[in-house]
Amino acid sequence: MSHTPANRSRVVVIGAGIVGCSLADELTARGWTDVTVLEQGPLPAPGGSTSHAPGLVFQTGPSKTMTEFAAYTVRKFGSLDVDGLPCFHPVGGLEVATTAARWADLHRKAGLAASWGVRGELLTPNQCKQLWPMLDETRLHGGFHTPDDGLARALLACRAQIARASGRGARFLERHTVTGIERADGHVTGVVTDRGTFPADHVVSAAGFWGPVIGAMAGVDVPLLPLAHQYATTAPLPALAGVNDPRTEASKPILRFQDRDLYFREHTDRLGIGSYAHRPMPVDPFTVPVYDDAPTMPSSLPFTPDDFAPSWQDSIGLLPALADSRVAEGFNGVFSFTPDGMPVLGESRALRGFWLAEAVWVTHSAGVAKAVAEWMTDGRPAIDIHECDLYRFEDAQRSPAYIADRGAQSFIEVYDVVHPLQPMDQPRPLRTSPFFPRQQELGAYFLEGGGWERPHWYEANAPLAEGLELPARDAWSARYWSPIAAAEATATREKVALYDMTPLRRLEVTGPGALAFLQRMTSNNLAKKPGAVTYTLLLDEAGGIRSDLTVARLAPDRFQVGANSGSDLDWLLRHAPDDGGPSRSSEAESGGVQVRDITSGTCCIGVWGPLARDLVQPLTRDDFSHQAFGYFKARHTHLGHVPVTAMRLSYVGELGWELYTTADLGLRLWDTLWEAGQEHGVIAAGRSAFNSLRLEKGYRAWGHDMTTEHNPYEAGVGFAVRPAKGDFIGRAALEGKSEDTAPRKLSCLTLDDPSAVVLGKEPVYADGVPAGYVTSAAYGYTLGRGIAYAWLPAGASVPGTAVHIEYFGEKIPATVAQEPLFDPQMERIRR
């Protein structure tokens, strides 16, 4: 961050598309008025994605963050106009289903809308036709109508925000092509253009699909892939003659026909048709022509009629009146996709003061700009943005080949019905633990996360599932699930199981300043003797939960940290004592503290179950009794021929240990434990069983159950906060807060019907109105009923309170329960 006072910070924004203009408006509104926006093309239509964007704003999606970005975009643009023309036209949105699977998905989407506070209603085919008379309602199962969605007029919104930001002191300079980024001592100092150099304390790349080009100038990877997307306009349609005001262009809802990857919007007496049904068409951003050399504009490529032909026939099938019309014009418009389809936001650690606001569509533009402006001026966005954080991607996910493969897949899946557990197809396998060969031999069913292959169950355990009485599952909850998970959970409770915990991130913090550093960074007291393990939190300055950690003090100046994501590493590296500029790598060595990511060089097996000690003790000369090796303790030992760091931890609520060793010895460790466990009935168990078991114990999953939007007392982890230890980040913000004062709470729900299952993100109703949403859910095989954790107002979080969870349109009765549901006295773990 710059040492310049906030209201005097010099900001250069690269790109005057909708994101750059929105950001300039948001920054100047917060008092940062020394803002220069550089644009290579002419204003106000410089030729990037904004200049051709159809402007669709559909708020509802599986991401709460993205929905909130879109909702703010609706509110902001709805308040802006230019020469009496509104910048947002709330015509609404209508998604129609022509298949049973899509109709079911629209019920799920209606639930998401209720969870995130978006108005929406499921409609019959006839009701859909009333909104869109051109529809062939006989093809429809129904539709989902969102009356507050609509059309953002991006270029008008740019003009409105340019005027507002300019009035506060910002300047917008067209025809300035950026040629370089200046830096000194690891900090950005200016932007070089073909028309001069602009000093800067902060530089924001809002260059759209040119983001990788600007990033390369700064030495910062920008993981996005530009792709072309087809958009066609029909000839004038008799059915629309005289219907729409030419100034607002449209009166009917934006229509989405996702079963055929299509959307429609009115252009006065014509229809615009967008298609994602065609082959991916990647574009090299380094070869896109400049504005004056482009046939129309840089983001508009020649239309390819053959690619659009099937979509035209599909359009006629839904809207028969198009049979008498034709495609009058079209283009292939370029915009950005990332490996996971989310934006890329945040400040580079490699070059301080260099920010990214990339891969952002008009839909989310104002919301993203607000978040980035808050981040720059206040140090944190007001809402959780971990899904968009620049450092969410692993190194293995940042190669050009990976970005190309997964960016193309993101394009293909834009309108697909995507299950929350559904993995990408390619490239797999990418990251595997040392145990991978043995897991394959046991018939592991792998899903993927962070590039890692993660076993969710093992077909070798199928015989254990025979005869189990389990409730029947609907088609959605049965995807990526097997009754084998129940058998694995039962075996963990009754005997002993091996869990591959390798994908969980491991950091090493060492040096004479390590304890003081971690004490300042985390909420719990780590000043304990070597051999102690502590559950603690990373908080931000507002007391929000950035992450939860387990910290093992292995020596006076050496700690092993179990973390959640690359953003945790980034946070620690940014705050590590710095003697000479930031580190680009995954480690920092300065100020008596070294922070290092050791995940790829190590591995971990969780050995859990009532027979865990019977399995492990014969393999070591050290005493693994409860008296000699207590809960939340760690020690170095040997198991057979393998040196390990053993930690007495359990995320499944059973006796056991996490056993760490180096990657080269991982296979030997697995084989050692497997052989020794045969007489005890050991099995390998997967993530599906793990998730069920951890919810029975009430263990939180950061990023699902709690984020920066929640404080520890609301999330039920206030026990990990020790204000008396001294100052730490977030301490001041928590003063006066407690569980008693929390206005909302993460609450445990049990489903009244033992056969019911929910999966997460469903709305929770109290007294008949939406009151919260589910964060994590699973069937509790030990308890024999479904479990859901949900955010609820404090008044509705009292055990015994009756609520309903909406699952695919069905209201499922549930009851707030006292947690933990399983072994509340912790007798099974502490024995």
Side-chain angles (χ1 to χ4, degrees), residues 106-385:
L106 292 185
H107 283 77
R108 183 175 71 104
K109 186 162 283 186
L112 290 170
S115 290
W116 312 146
V118 178
R119 287 200 304 156
E121 181 184 10
L122 291 166
L123 303 182
T124 66
N126 283 333
Q127 289 173 314
C128 293
K129 189 173 181 63
Q130 290 173 18
L131 289 174
W132 255 87
M134 293 170 65
L135 280 168
D136 177 2
E137 78 278 17
T138 65
R139 294 196 57 191
L140 304 184
H141 289 257
F144 177 53
H145 180 225
T146 45
D148 300 323
D149 291 338
L151 295 168
R153 307 182 76 162
L155 291 180
L156 278 185
C158 285
R159 288 175 58 191
Q161 292 177 106
I162 287 172
R164 296 204 320 183
S166 298
R168 303 184 191 112
R171 56 179 176 165
F172 292 77
L173 302 178
E174 63 181 1
R175 299 288 189 175
H176 281 64
T177 299
V178 174
T179 58
I181 305 294
E182 291 189 333
R183 68 198 86 177
D185 300 324
H187 200 290
V188 71
T189 60
V191 177
V192 182
T193 76
D194 58 351
R195 299 176 65 177
T197 298
F198 297 83
D201 303 302
H202 299 271
V203 173
V204 185
S205 177
F209 61 79
W210 284 287
V213 179
I214 301 300
M217 297 178 191
V220 175
D221 292 332
V222 180
L224 67 81
L225 176 71
L227 286 151
H229 157 61
Q230 290 200 298
Y231 192 80
T233 307
T234 68
L237 298 170
L240 296 181
V243 171
N244 296 315
D245 183 342
R247 288 168 54 84
T248 56
E249 292 191 334
S251 57
K252 298 178 186 62
I254 311 160
L255 178 64
R256 288 207 285 189
F257 181 22
Q258 293 169 298
D259 288 323
R260 290 294 185 270
D261 298 307
L262 292 167
Y263 64 83
F264 306 85
R265 60 150 292 183
E266 294 170 297
H267 292 280
T268 310
D269 61 349
R270 304 165 186 254
L271 277 189
I273 306 172
S275 172
Y276 294 99
H278 54 82
R279 60 192 169 90
M281 303 177 190
V283 175
D284 182 353
F286 291 88
T287 63
V288 175
V290 299
Y291 187 92
D292 291 328
D293 293 342
T296 52
M297 55 184 171
S299 64
S300 181
L301 302 181
F303 190 63
T304 49
D306 289 348
D307 290 305
F308 193 76
S311 292
W312 178 247
Q313 293 304 314
D314 288 333
S315 299
I316 293 172
L318 185 70
L319 306 171
L322 295 182
D324 297 326
S325 187
R326 61 183 174 82
V327 173
E329 55 186 353
F331 64 95
N332 291 359
V334 182
F335 61 151
S336 304
F337 285 81
T338 59
D340 58 5
M342 303 291 281
V344 179
L345 311 178
E347 184 191 20
S348 169
R349 192 174 68 251
L351 182 60
R352 299 294 177 95
F354 184 81
W355 295 77
L356 297 179
E358 298 291 13
V360 182
W361 297 2
V362 172
T363 307
H364 311 105
S365 54
V368 165
K370 176 177 180 285
V372 173
E374 291 168 341
W375 207 343
M376 295 174 70
T377 60
D378 301 333
R380 69 186 293 272
I383 67 171
D384 168 56
I385 51 83

